[in-house]
Amino acid sequence: MRVTAVFPVRRMLSWFAPSVLLGACAGAPPPAPLVRPVAGPTISLLVNWHAKVLVDIHDSIVLSLPSGDHQVQQFEQNAVFTLDVANDGAVSIRLDSLTRHPSPDEVARVTSFQAAWTARANDIGVNAFRVLAGGEFAEGLTAFVRRLLPRFPVGGAHPGTMWSDSATGAVRVDIFTANERRLATWTVGALTQGGTETGVSVRVRETFEQIGTGTQSGQQVAMTSQGSRSAIYYSTKGVGLTSAELVDSATTLISLPNSRQVVPTLRFSRASVRFVAVQRDYPED
């Protein structure tokens, strides 16, 4: 699949289309409850938990080329992560594999990079994850890793609880250094009973704005972006997170000020996530 724009747009599009949300925001306050918690069990990230995280991503990118034509790119990606939450609340995530299936006429590519991140169970907000290994490659996946887990307020949440978190600051978006403003609202559903299992869902709706600049082939490039995200996480009592559905969309304008060329870009991504509890393959300190 070849992009026929006058500059290489493809290089600006990260493997993970959700990377329009790349990087960690600075200056993010801790999540603040919007309503008083209601009675019920405390819901938070399960500690002493080890799981494989299986991710299937379906991406669509629409480019409006300078010629007036539109080009649609669609591809799928599969990733496997290892997630560990220790007794002391330390969270570690490691990328085990990443495979991209661009189109039927292209060969699937499997990444050979190693990447790892760390955070705390009571501090997994927008600026919490720190790259342990993988350099720029891992930085390019940080935002997606950040969205794998719900962000609970300090002390956890309860059925019926609603809270918000927000962030402003510098982020890395593909080749761009951008300023970003983000606002998310979270809600916890009612408890549900299925046989002997008790479950609960956590939903989030988030909006963001980004403005940034970068350099492409020696030319200055500017971008502005607006987008939204919604997600629902499912958890079972005593088991922890079991699955999640993530949906992202963004409208981005990429412009070359020197030539006055503008390329509008629409992105849509849907990710299905499964958490499979497994036994640790190493002893806990």
Side-chain angles (χ1 to χ4, degrees):
M1 183 183 302
R2 177 175 298 175
V3 177
T4 56
V6 295
F7 59 96
V9 178
R10 181 187 291 274
R11 292 181 56 187
M12 298 180 182
L13 305 179
S14 172
W15 265 26
F16 268 62
S19 66
V20 68
L21 310 177
L22 286 182
C25 299
L34 295 178
V35 298
R36 184 183 301 275
V38 300
T42 299
I43 301 167
S44 61
L45 194 62
L46 191 68
V47 298
N48 193 24
W49 183 43
H50 189 63
K52 290 293 183 180
V53 185
L54 312 178
V55 183
D56 296 317
I57 303 173
H58 303 271
D59 294 316
S60 297
I61 301 174
V62 180
L63 304 175
S64 299
L65 305 180
S67 62
D69 296 330
H70 293 82
Q71 185 179 75
V72 179
Q73 300 178 8
Q74 294 181 324
F75 49 90
E76 297 183 5
Q77 299 174 96
N78 311 109
V80 179
F81 297 88
T82 294
L83 167 66
D84 184 82
V85 185
N87 284 323
D88 63 357
V91 178
S92 63
I93 296 180
R94 183 186 70 232
L95 176 66
D96 297 328
S97 66
L98 172 61
T99 305
R100 187 192 189 204
H101 308 273
S103 66
D105 59 341
E106 295 181 340
V107 178
R109 289 183 287 178
V110 181
T111 181
S112 59
F113 288 92
Q114 297 295 317
W117 301 262
T118 185
R120 303 290 299 181
N122 62 349
D123 182 24
I124 58 171
V126 290
N127 64 339
F129 277 104
R130 178 169 58 89
V131 174
L132 290 179
E136 291 184 0
F137 173 77
E139 291 288 355
L141 300 178
T142 298
F144 186 80
V145 168
R146 183 183 69 204
R147 299 199 307 276
L148 287 175
L149 302 173
R151 301 191 295 268
F152 291 107
V154 176
H158 300 268
T161 301
M162 178 183 295
W163 70 96
S164 67
D165 58 44
S166 61
T168 58
V171 295
R172 185 68 180 176
V173 183
D174 298 327
I175 67 169
F176 302 100
T177 299
N179 291 318
E180 180 183 74
R181 176 178 297 179
R182 181 186 306 277
L183 175 64
T185 300
W186 298 79
T187 57
V188 179
L191 294 177
T192 59
Q193 191 72 36
T196 59
E197 295 184 342
T198 302
V200 70
S201 63
V202 180
R203 297 176 182 269
V204 62
R205 292 188 178 276
E206 185 174 73
T207 60
F208 67 90
E209 299 176 351
Q210 299 166 335
I211 301 176
T213 58
T215 302
Q216 176 75 16
S217 301
Q219 300 184 68
Q220 184 179 4
V221 187
M223 65 83 76
T224 59
S225 183
Q226 292 184 325
S228 64
R229 168 193 169 225
S230 63
I232 180 168
Y233 302 84
Y234 297 96
S235 181
T236 300
K237 183 178 179 181
V239 176
L241 291 170
T242 56
S243 64
E245 295 290 332
L246 316 176
V247 177
D248 296 81
S249 61
T251 301
T252 302
L253 293 179
I254 302 174
S255 60
L256 281 72
N258 292 339
S259 62
R260 299 184 180 180
Q261 295 179 357
V262 177
V263 178
T265 303
L266 301 178
R267 301 186 184 192
F268 179 82
S269 178
R270 181 183 297 273
S272 298
V273 183
R274 288 188 296 140
F275 300 87
V276 181
V278 296
Q279 188 173 3
R280 283 187 175 89
D281 54 6
Y282 55 89
E284 185 177 357
D285 295 335

